[in-house]
Amino acid sequence: MRDFAASRVAQGHDVRWLQLYDGTELHTTICSDFTKQEILVKNHVQDPKKTAFGENANPSWEDFRMFAQKRCQLCLEEDIKTYLAQIGMDDQLPLIVVQKDAGRVNEDLEWIRLEILH
């Protein structure tokens, strides 16, 4: 995965590395190429219920967007586009929120470490 990320960064792509944890246990690593809108996923646990995409072995970009939206508080706003406009953001994947609150939205121990590689 790191080779995939490094080659994409070398091509000038916007690449982000997300790691989904439950407490201190790493469950899923996601390498996301925002330029090509592609992801590469590695699960670190066997139980699909504990992974970012469950039984889905080949998640799409849209699956990734939905995952990130579920893990951020912005998705709870009734009018997300108005809210984003008010804080000066467009309606792209709200990873800024993940950076600020580590995707802690549900009453669970899951959180996300986000690293921007570009």
Side-chain angles (χ1 to χ4, degrees), residues 26-111:
L26 176 60
H27 286 196
T28 303
T29 300
I30 305 165
C31 181
S32 55
D33 180 338
F34 279 70
T35 304
K36 290 190 94 172
Q37 295 190 345
E38 295 177 345
I39 62 171
L40 190 61
V41 176
K42 178 177 176 146
N43 292 320
H44 303 279
V45 294
Q46 297 296 320
D47 184 353
K49 293 176 189 169
K50 295 184 176 189
T51 66
F53 302 102
E55 300 278 345
N56 185 351
N58 297 302
S60 66
W61 185 256
E62 186 59 27
D63 295 328
F64 172 64
R65 288 178 54 86
M66 299 307 296
F67 162 76
Q69 286 177 356
K70 282 194 310 191
R71 294 308 309 177
C72 79
Q73 294 194 19
L74 287 180
C75 64
L76 300 178
E77 296 293 325
E78 283 190 34
D79 189 353
I80 188 169
K81 289 186 181 189
T82 300
Y83 177 75
L84 288 170
Q86 288 172 349
I87 63 170
M89 293 175 62
D90 59 20
D91 64 349
Q92 71 175 355
L93 186 67
L95 289 179
I96 299 258
V97 174
V98 170
Q99 283 179 296
K100 292 182 180 183
D101 71 5
R104 295 178 194 265
V105 69
N106 299 323
E107 293 183 8
D108 57 24
L109 296 175
E110 290 183 346
W111 60 281

